[in-house]
């Protein structure tokens, strides 16, 4: 087990806050709603990983595409 795996386990199990960089993202599709844009921006800025979750029909697949 390496340090990266330990960090991911801490995020998933121990509620450690994931790290995000401070990049400024300026170009996001205008077809996305505000929540979807936030999800895309956070995914780009994630240093560890970022989960896109939500109930059916909220556009998760569209955001991932």
């Amino acid at each position: 087990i390496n340090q990266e795996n330990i960090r991911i386990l801490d995020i998933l199990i121990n509620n450690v806050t994931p790290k995000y960089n401070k990049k400024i993202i300026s170009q996001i599709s205008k077809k996305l709603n505000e929540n979807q844009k936030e999800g895309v921006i956070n995914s780009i800025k994630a240093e560890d990983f970022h989960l896109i979750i939500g109930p059916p029909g909220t556009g998760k697949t569209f955001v991932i595409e």
Side-chain angles (χ1 to χ4, degrees):
I1 196 162
N2 63 32
Q3 291 293 21
E4 185 176 322
N5 290 340
I6 291 170
R7 171 103 179 116
I8 291 170
L9 286 172
D10 275 344
I11 292 167
L12 295 173
I13 297 170
N14 298 325
N15 286 331
V16 171
T17 303
K19 292 181 182 177
Y20 294 90
N21 61 48
K22 297 185 186 320
K23 283 185 208 175
I24 295 173
I25 310 300
S26 60
Q27 295 183 355
I28 297 293
S29 173
K30 293 180 181 178
K31 295 178 181 179
L32 301 174
N33 67 35
E34 290 306 312
N35 288 328
Q36 292 168 332
K37 286 178 186 177
E38 183 180 350
V40 170
I41 290 168
N42 286 335
S43 294
I44 293 168
K45 294 168 90 173
E47 292 186 10
D48 301 304
F49 61 91
H50 184 76
L51 298 176
I52 301 290
I53 60 173
T58 56
K60 296 178 299 294
T61 303
F62 183 66
V63 165
I64 292 168
E65 289 175 348

